[in-house]
Each structure stands twice: as C-alpha cells, then as structure tokens.
Amino acid sequence: MAQAAGKLSLSEKISYGFGDLASNFVWGMTTSYLLYFYTNVYGLAATAIGTLFLITRILDAVIDPVIGVMIDKTSSRFGKARPFILFFVPIPFAIFSVLTFITPDWSEGGKLIYAYLTYLILGILYSGVNLPYGALMPMMTKDPEEKNQLSSFRIMGMAIGAIAVSALTNPLVKWIGGGNDRLGFPVTMGIFTVVAVVMFYVVFLKCKERFSESAEKTKEFNTLTSAKHMFGNQPWVMIALNSLFMFLRIGVVFGVLVYFVQYVLGQPEMIPLYLTLANVANFVGGALAPFVLRRLGKRNGSILALTGAVLLYGLLFFLESSPPFLYLVIFFIANIGIGINSPANFSMLADTVDYHEWKFGHRSEGMLYSAYSFATKFGIAVGGSVVAYALGFAGYDPDAVSPQATDMIRVLFYLGPILLTILQIGCLVLYKLDKEHKQIVQDLDLRTSSVKA
C-alpha cells in the first residue's frame, strides 16, 4: 500500500485505542474475575482451575503462530490485518464470551470439561482478533513518536476498559442477578461483549494500513525462514520476554488482588476500588508515557518507571497496618510506574518489525506479534495458575480461610510482582534498539526510494 503523507489523525489514534478498550471488556473480565468465578460461583477446586488455565493456554499457544502466519500470507482489498478484525469479531466471539461464564448444573467432571472447552475456544477467538489488532500498529506508521502516541492511546483504552470492568462488574452482577451470581455474571458479560464488538468494528473502519507488504512479497513469505529470522531478531527476543514477564505479573496481581483485599486487608467492600485504582493508574501511566518516553527514551524511561514500582511494592509490605488511604495512594503510584512501561513495550515491539525488515528484508508483523498475543494469554494464564495452585497448596477454602492461606495470599501479592518486574528490567537492559531505530528507518526509506527509482 502506498505511504500516506503527514501524521496520523487524532480520530485514527483514538480509534486504535478502541481495540484494547474492546479487548478489556472481555479479557479484562476473565483476568479479574474468572478465577474467583470458578472457585466461588461455579464451585471448582482451585488446583483443578490452575491446571485448566495452564493446559488451555499451552494448547492455545499453538494457535497464535498459525494466525500470525495467516496474517503474513494475507493480501486483500482490506489489507493484511484488518480482514481478521472484521471477520473474527462477530457472533462466535460474542457467544463464547458469554458461554465461559455460564454454569451448567452438571457433575464435577462435566463442569470441568465445559470450562476447558469454553475457555479454550474463547482464547482462540480472542487471538483471531487481538493478534491482528496488535500487528496493525507498524502497518499504520514507522514514525517513533506516532508509535508512542498510538501505544499511549492503546494503554489508555486498555485502562478504560479495565476500569469499567472493575467498577461495573460487581454492581451489575448483583443488580442483574438479584443475589444469583450464576445469572448475574453471564448477563454482565453479554453487555460487555456487545460494546466490544461495536468498538472492534470502529477499529476496522477507521485505522488504515500504510506499510503492509505488496502482494508479490506476501506470496514469497516462507514460514520456516521467518521463524528462524524471528529468533535471530535480538531486540524482538528481549521485548517478547519482557511482554511475557509483564503479563505473568498481571496474571498474578489481578488473580490474587480480590483475595488479598478481602482476606489480608479485611476490606471486602474495597475490592472494586482496588481493581478500579489499579486500572486508573494504568490509564494515568499511559497518558504520561509519551512525555516521559520523549525525554528519556522508551528503554531508559521504562527501566526508571519499573524500578520505582519495585521499590513502592516493597514499601507496601510495611504499610498494611497504616491508614487505608496511605496504602491506597502508594499502591496507586506504584501502578502508575507500571502503566508507563506498557505503551513503551508496544512501541518497542513495533520498532522490532522495522528492525526485522532492515535486517532480513521482510516485515513479518503477524509472526512477530504472535509472540505478544502468546505472552498476553500465556502470561496471564500461568500467573493465574500460580495463584490457583498456591491457594490449593495452602488449603484455601472460601468457607473457612486458614492463616496458611492468608500468608500465601500475602506472599503472592508482594513477591510475585516484585520478582517479575525485576526480570522485566533485566530484559530492557539488554534491549539496544532505541538509539539505532532512527537510522534504521532512514535506511529503509532509502531502500524504498531506490526501488521506486
């Protein structure tokens, strides 16, 4: 496709942010509430859920590279990524979003099989729309500042969706269900899904591909060669690992947060506030990110923000008996630091596509973004599995929570995010593309000019 002159319009940037806003109405719901739903509403054992999360995401992991290859091989009048956003969104995705929160009155084994099938299919359908949505960014622009802004709108969209889910889920479940959570949860998910479908269509209509490869180059795509090149793309390897650790942390934090606020802090009425504040902090971090990253760079700005988050999470351990307001404020600020890194991660991932084209002669957005999609689901699922296994190991019983279970919840809440964030910092230290990216884009532009001449 031909290059569009000038900057991206504000409406296109906002529309791009709608994609993660839509995603979080569905995936944010599963991240924040599915473990709790399975244990406290559906009545499954915590250890069984841990295995479910782990196995379904391993199976799902096979699908992401397949969809990535399909994107790279696609050439249509809609482009490479946009057709997937159009055709994967409608009925199946909406249906399985709701079915995941249905509770058939079957035997224990039947319930578990139903949970496996619905959660696995939902993950596959989610890949079918979210992976091309991520791959769309480097097709829209090569400009680093524009990528930073698109990433910022994406994180703000993600945060708004997560805030809405955090703030609205409990009240809607109670209001719709009238005390019957088995009714309240699926109907609430149905409402969220309708909103998500509309927003994905907005992304399709408003966001344009300007840098997708020609049909001739698409036909030349070789899966094995691209896979080999992908692992030879060192900046991509670092960002893929950074993404994995980031979503492992999200899986642990949001998997345990409901339990932590209820059983450690003893403030069950504050659960919606904590979930909402974590996501508001993400929104604030996303809004601040373009200014921080412009001054410090994506890599160094992220390292500084994440280091601050680690220190503040460590401080929280000593503040449990402090006034609740102080604890909330420190928790909020720590998550702002984490929120600053998230758009930087998306932008750096987009930069690795340019590096890939510069080094290997083809872009492979689908293959490269399949790693991000895998990290999203696998990280959150493994993080949730760790929480579920740990609760099962500690003998968690929702009707009689023991001191051992409470101690395990505390360990997960503090130690999990601190260790995983430190691993993220290690990946970013090894990421060296920030200083080289500008010259790489200039080299690519020269190649394009010489080919046209």
Side-chain angles (χ1 to χ4, degrees), residues 37 97-98 101-103 181-191:
F37 172 81
S97 298
V98 176
F101 283 87
I102 294 287
T103 54
D181 287 354
R182 289 175 175 245
L183 172 64
F185 269 102
V187 175
T188 298
M189 184 55 138
I191 294 169

Side-chain angles (χ1 to χ4, degrees), residues 269-284:
E269 73 285 354
M270 301 281 277
I271 289 171
L273 179 59
Y274 270 89
L275 287 170
T276 302
L277 275 180
N279 292 305
V280 170
N282 221 6
F283 177 87
V284 173

Side-chain angles (χ1 to χ4, degrees), residues 129-149:
V129 64
N130 196 260
L131 199 162
Y133 164 67
L136 183 60
M137 185 198 293
M139 299 180 191
M140 293 170 68
T141 181
K142 289 183 181 179
D143 185 279
E145 182 58 30
E146 294 291 275
K147 287 178 188 173
N148 284 342
Q149 291 186 30

Side-chain angles (χ1 to χ4, degrees), residues 44-361:
L44 295 175
T47 50
I49 299 163
T51 304
L52 181 155
F53 283 168
L54 195 59
I55 290 177
T56 53
R57 291 292 68 83
I58 290 172
L59 293 173
D60 197 10
V62 178
I63 300 298
D64 286 350
V66 172
I67 295 175
V69 170
M70 289 170 64
I71 294 169
D72 287 329
K73 285 181 172 290
T74 296
S75 177
S76 76
R77 65 191 181 96
F78 297 124
K80 294 177 66 175
R82 292 171 69 243
F84 291 83
I85 299 172
L86 174 64
F87 295 116
F88 267 87
V89 169
I91 305 303
F93 183 65
I95 289 174
F96 276 91
S97 298
V98 176
L99 287 178
T100 302
F101 283 87
I102 294 287
T103 54
D105 190 16
W106 295 346
S107 67
E108 185 75 14
K111 286 181 176 181
L112 199 56
I113 291 170
Y114 179 84
Y116 267 91
L117 287 175
T118 52
Y119 186 50
L120 174 62
I121 294 172
L122 178 63
I124 292 170
L125 293 170
Y126 178 77
S127 288
V129 64
N130 196 260
L131 199 162
Y133 164 67
L136 183 60
M137 185 198 293
M139 299 180 191
M140 293 170 68
T141 181
K142 289 183 181 179
D143 185 279
E145 182 58 30
E146 294 291 275
K147 287 178 188 173
N148 284 342
Q149 291 186 30
L150 283 173
S151 298
S152 183
F153 277 104
R154 180 174 184 176
I155 286 299
M156 287 190 286
M158 177 191 296
I160 291 170
I163 290 165
V165 168
S166 301
L168 296 176
T169 298
N170 272 346
L172 281 174
V173 168
K174 287 180 170 55
W175 177 64
I176 293 168
N180 181 2
D181 287 354
R182 289 175 175 245
L183 172 64
F185 269 102
V187 175
T188 298
M189 184 55 138
I191 294 169
F192 291 162
T193 301
V194 170
V195 176
V197 168
V198 172
M199 289 183 173
F200 273 124
Y201 280 130
V202 172
V203 174
F204 169 78
L205 290 170
K206 297 288 290 183
C207 298
K208 306 303 179 186
E209 296 181 19
R210 297 170 176 83
F211 293 96
S212 55
E213 289 180 329
S214 64
E216 290 75 18
K217 274 209 163 189
T218 298
K219 290 177 183 177
E220 296 171 3
F221 178 86
N222 182 284
T223 304
L224 291 177
T225 302
S226 287
K228 180 181 177 181
H229 289 168
M230 181 172 67
F231 289 102
N233 183 335
Q234 194 270 349
W236 174 84
V237 172
M238 291 301 104
I239 297 306
L241 288 172
N242 180 59
S243 301
L244 178 61
F245 295 135
M246 177 171 72
F247 285 102
L248 277 167
R249 186 195 62 238
I250 291 171
V252 171
V253 170
F254 282 92
V256 80
L257 186 57
V258 172
Y259 300 95
F260 180 82
V261 177
Q262 182 164 347
Y263 300 120
V264 175
L265 297 182
Q267 302 166 357
E269 73 285 354
M270 301 281 277
I271 289 171
L273 179 59
Y274 270 89
L275 287 170
T276 302
L277 275 180
N279 292 305
V280 170
N282 221 6
F283 177 87
V284 173
L288 292 174
F291 306 101
V292 174
L293 304 179
R294 189 182 302 127
R295 291 181 63 86
L296 300 176
K298 294 185 280 283
R299 170 186 178 270
N300 293 340
S302 294
I303 290 172
L304 182 62
L306 290 177
T307 300
V310 167
L311 296 174
L312 289 172
Y313 255 95
L315 178 61
L316 282 174
F317 178 77
F318 301 99
L319 297 177
E320 280 184 15
S321 59
S322 65
F325 178 75
L326 177 61
Y327 195 93
L328 271 171
V329 169
I330 300 301
F331 174 79
F332 179 71
I333 297 172
N335 281 282
I336 289 176
I338 288 169
I340 289 172
N341 167 246
S342 298
N345 188 66
F346 292 136
S347 186
M348 287 185 285
L349 186 58
D351 287 348
T352 68
V353 174
D354 297 330
Y355 175 83
H356 198 91
E357 182 182 13
W358 176 79
K359 185 171 183 178
F360 301 113

